[in-house]
Amino acid sequence: MKLVLVCFFAFSNIFLLNSQSVYGNVEYKSKINGSFISEDVINKEKDKNLRNTLNFLNSSIKNNQNKFVFVLDFNRNVSVFSMNKILNVDNDTQLKYAIITNSGKDIFYQNIISRKKIKKKIMFGEEFNIVSNLDSLKWELTREEKKIGKYNCFKAITYLNKKTKIEAWYTTQIPFGFGPKGFGGLPGLIIELKENNIIYFANKITLKTNKIFEIEIPNTQNTISIEKYDSIGRSAKSRLKKM
C-alpha cells in the first residue's frame, strides 16, 4: 500500500510540473441531508425557548440552502474558498442565521508549500486569521469509490472531534489537494464533502491553461493559533453567561 501511494504521489508531482493547467475554479453548492439539528436532540431539550430557537435554526437552513453558492479558486500551491455574496440579507433573519451556520462569512485559505491553512473569521466585530497545520487532520483513505459526473472518486474519512465526522470524495483525475472549507491534503480535488448533515458538492469545475493566478494569503504576522482562538471564544462565552 505504501509503495502504491509513493508511486502515485510521484506521478502526481510529475503531472503538476508538466501540466498546462495552472489555475482552477470550482463552484460548489450545498444541501442538507435530513435536518441540521436532529429531532431527537431538539425534543430532549427541556427549555422551551431553546427548543424554539433550534427549530428556527433548522427551518432557516432548510429554507435557504439552495441560495448558497461557494467558490474555490486554486493554483498549484494555494487555494481560497468562500461563499458568493448574497444581497438583501439584513431584512431576512432566517437567511442571516443560515449564512452564519454555513460559515458563509468565513474565508478559507490553504498553502501546500507551507502546509498551513488559515480561516478568516469575524467574531464579536473583530477579524481573526486563524492558522493551523494542513496535516493536523489524519485522513483514512478507504477503498470505496463512485462516479460523480465524469470523475472517478474515492472516499476518505477524518474527524474534527468525537462528534464531527468528515467524509470526502476526491478524484485523482484532478491532482490538486484542495477542497471546501479548508479541507484538503488528499491525493486529488475534493468533489463532494459531508460535514455533519451538510453536503457540499461541486456543481461546476473549470480548469484553465496558460494563466497565472495569484492568491493573496493573509500575513502570517497577523494570525493566531486555533488554540488561542478557541480560548478567546470560551472566555467570551463565559462573560456572556455572567451578564
Side-chain angles (χ1 to χ4, degrees), residues 177-239:
F178 302 116
K181 296 191 69 178
F183 290 99
L186 289 167
L189 182 73
I190 296 176
I191 303 294
E192 182 179 295
L193 182 128
K194 181 180 179 183
E195 180 183 16
N196 291 321
N197 288 342
I198 298 181
I199 298 173
Y200 301 87
F201 58 96
N203 182 59
K204 181 181 179 182
I205 300 174
T206 304
L207 297 177
K208 299 184 179 181
T209 61
N210 299 322
K211 179 178 179 180
I212 298 175
F213 179 74
E214 299 292 339
I215 298 174
E216 185 176 349
I217 300 291
N219 191 324
T220 54
Q221 293 181 347
N222 298 324
T223 61
I224 64 171
S225 68
I226 190 169
E227 292 80 12
K228 178 66 175 177
Y229 174 79
D230 289 342
S231 176
I232 293 172
R234 286 192 297 269
S235 298
K237 288 179 182 178
S238 179
R239 289 197 299 269

Side-chain angles (χ1 to χ4, degrees), residues 68-87:
F68 302 142
V69 176
F70 305 84
V71 175
L72 174 72
D73 289 310
F74 61 88
N75 57 33
R76 292 180 179 180
N77 299 323
V78 297
S79 71
V80 57
F81 176 87
S82 61
M83 179 189 286
N84 278 352
K85 188 174 182 179
I86 300 176
L87 301 177

Side-chain angles (χ1 to χ4, degrees), residues 236-243:
K237 288 179 182 178
S238 179
R239 289 197 299 269
L240 287 173
K241 288 181 179 180
K242 293 179 181 179
M243 293 176 64

Side-chain angles (χ1 to χ4, degrees), residues 53 59 69 81 131 135-136 144 155 162 179-180 230 232-233 242:
T53 299
S59 60
V69 176
F81 176 87
V131 64
D135 301 314
S136 59
E144 290 186 58
K155 184 178 180 180
K162 292 181 179 180
D230 289 342
I232 293 172
K242 293 179 181 179

